[in-house]
C-alpha cells in the first residue's frame, strides 16, 4: 500500500495517508492507457472536413473538345481531377471517428494512469483547497507552495472560487472526480488531489 504525504495550502507536510492498492497500486497496462487516450482524442474530433469530388463540382457538362484529331489527350470533362478547378480524387467527407471502450477497460486504464503518476512521484495530496474569493494570484501562490508549475487539480466537489481562480493559470487545469479521464491525467503533468477527492476516487473505482 503506497504511503504519500499530505500537504496544506502553504506547502507544508501535515500527515501521511495510505493509498488503496486497488486504485493507486495496480499493474500498469500501457496498452489500455494508450487506447483510452486515442479514444478520447478520436471522440473529440468533429469529423466535418469536406471537399468536393468530380461529381459535386459545378460545370464540366460539355466535352472540352472532340475525341480525336486535335492532338490533345482525350478529355471528357473540365472537372476531372487533373484539371484546375476539378474535383478531388479521394475527397474527405464528414465522418464519425469515435469508437467505444468497455467500461472495465476504461476503469483499468484510469487506474493504470493514476498508478503511473504515483510511481513517477507526480501525485500530490493536499488536505483541502479553499479560497475566500476568486483570485488567480492566490491560487498561483498555492501552486507555487506545492512546487507545481503544470498540473491537473482534482476536486471532490465543484468549488467555484477554486475553479475560476485556476482558469487563467497557464498549464493548470481543474476537474471533478466524476469527470476524471486518462488523457487529462497523463497530459496534466503533476496530479494534485484533495483528501476528499482521494477518498471519493477510492470509493468509486476500488
Amino acid at each position: 500500500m503506497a504511503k504519500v504525504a499530505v500537504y496544506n495550502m502553504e506547502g507544508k507536510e501535515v500527515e501521511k495517508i495510505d493509498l488503496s492498492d486497488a486504485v493507486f497500486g495496480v499493474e500498469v497496462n500501457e496498452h489500455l492507457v494508450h487506447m483510452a487516450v486515442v479514444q478520447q482524442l478520436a471522440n473529440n474530433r468533429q469529423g466535418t472536413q469536406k471537399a468536393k469530388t468530380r461529381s459535386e463540382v459545378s460545370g464540366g457538362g460539355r466535352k472540352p473538345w472532340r475525341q480525336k484529331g486535335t492532338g490533345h489527350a482525350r478529355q471528357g470533362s473540365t472537372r476531372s481531377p487533373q484539371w484546375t478547378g476539378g474535383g478531388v480524387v479521394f475527397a474527405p467527407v464528414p465522418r464519425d471517428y469515435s469508437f467505444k471502450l468497455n467500461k472495465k477497460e476504461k476503469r483499468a486504464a484510469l487506474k493504470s494512469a493514476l498508478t503511473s503518476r504515483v510511481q513517477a512521484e507526480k501525485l500530490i495530496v493536499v488536505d483541502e483547497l479553499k479560497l475566500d474569493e476568486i483570485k488567480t494570484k492566490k491560487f498561483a501562490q498555492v501552486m507555487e507552495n506545492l512546487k507545481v508549475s503544470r498540473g491537473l487539480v482534482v476536486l471532490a466537489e465543484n468549488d467555484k472560487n477554486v475553479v475560476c481562480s485556476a482558469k487563467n493559470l497557464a498549464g493548470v487545469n481543474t476537474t471533478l472526480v466524476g469527470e476524471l479521464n486518462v488523457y487529462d491525467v497523463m497530459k496534466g503533468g503533476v496530479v494534485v488531489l484533495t483528501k476528499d477527492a482521494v477518498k471519493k476516487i477510492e470509493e468509486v473505482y476500488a
Side-chain angles (χ1 to χ4, degrees), residues 163-200:
V163 172
C164 292
S165 297
K167 195 171 285 185
N168 289 331
L169 209 57
V172 176
N173 295 310
T174 59
T175 189
L176 301 177
V177 171
E179 298 170 0
L180 195 59
N181 61 77
V182 176
Y183 177 72
D184 287 344
V185 170
M186 299 306 293
K187 180 191 174 187
V190 178
V191 177
V192 180
L193 297 163
T194 62
K195 274 184 68 176
D196 290 341
V198 171
K199 186 178 179 181
K200 200 166 185 179

Side-chain angles (χ1 to χ4, degrees), residues 8-144:
N8 58 21
M9 291 172 60
E10 285 73 45
K12 296 177 181 177
E13 185 178 331
V14 291
E15 62 174 311
K16 285 186 179 289
I17 61 169
D18 292 323
L19 298 178
S20 171
D21 284 342
V23 179
F24 297 96
V26 301
E27 184 180 344
V28 177
N29 189 324
E30 292 183 5
H31 175 66
L32 278 182
V33 172
H34 171 74
M35 287 299 294
V37 171
V38 170
Q39 186 220 19
Q40 186 168 343
L41 293 177
N43 292 359
N44 287 344
R45 291 183 70 174
Q46 286 187 316
T48 53
Q49 189 182 17
K50 177 75 172 75
K52 292 182 178 180
T53 62
R54 61 181 294 172
S55 66
E56 296 169 317
V57 180
S58 63
R62 182 176 66 86
K63 190 172 172 67
W65 49 74
R66 66 180 193 267
Q67 182 82 345
K68 292 177 177 293
T70 63
H72 295 296
R74 51 194 169 187
Q75 300 290 335
S77 170
T78 58
R79 291 299 176 259
S80 296
Q82 72 269 24
W83 286 69
T84 301
V88 179
V89 181
F90 298 114
V93 294
R95 55 172 287 195
D96 181 11
Y97 290 93
S98 65
F99 65 94
K100 289 185 177 180
L101 281 181
N102 296 332
K103 283 183 180 180
K104 286 184 178 180
E105 290 177 324
K106 281 185 179 180
R107 290 170 69 93
L110 184 55
K111 290 177 184 180
S112 291
L114 291 170
T115 299
S116 71
R117 296 296 91 182
V118 174
Q119 292 175 352
E121 296 183 353
K122 289 187 176 180
L123 187 138
I124 295 174
V125 181
V126 292
D127 55 355
E128 63 174 2
L129 281 175
K130 295 288 183 184
L131 295 177
D132 298 329
E133 57 181 337
I134 298 172
K135 199 76 173 176
T136 301
K137 191 174 181 180
K138 287 186 177 180
F139 191 82
Q141 184 60 53
V142 174
M143 292 292 102
E144 189 176 325

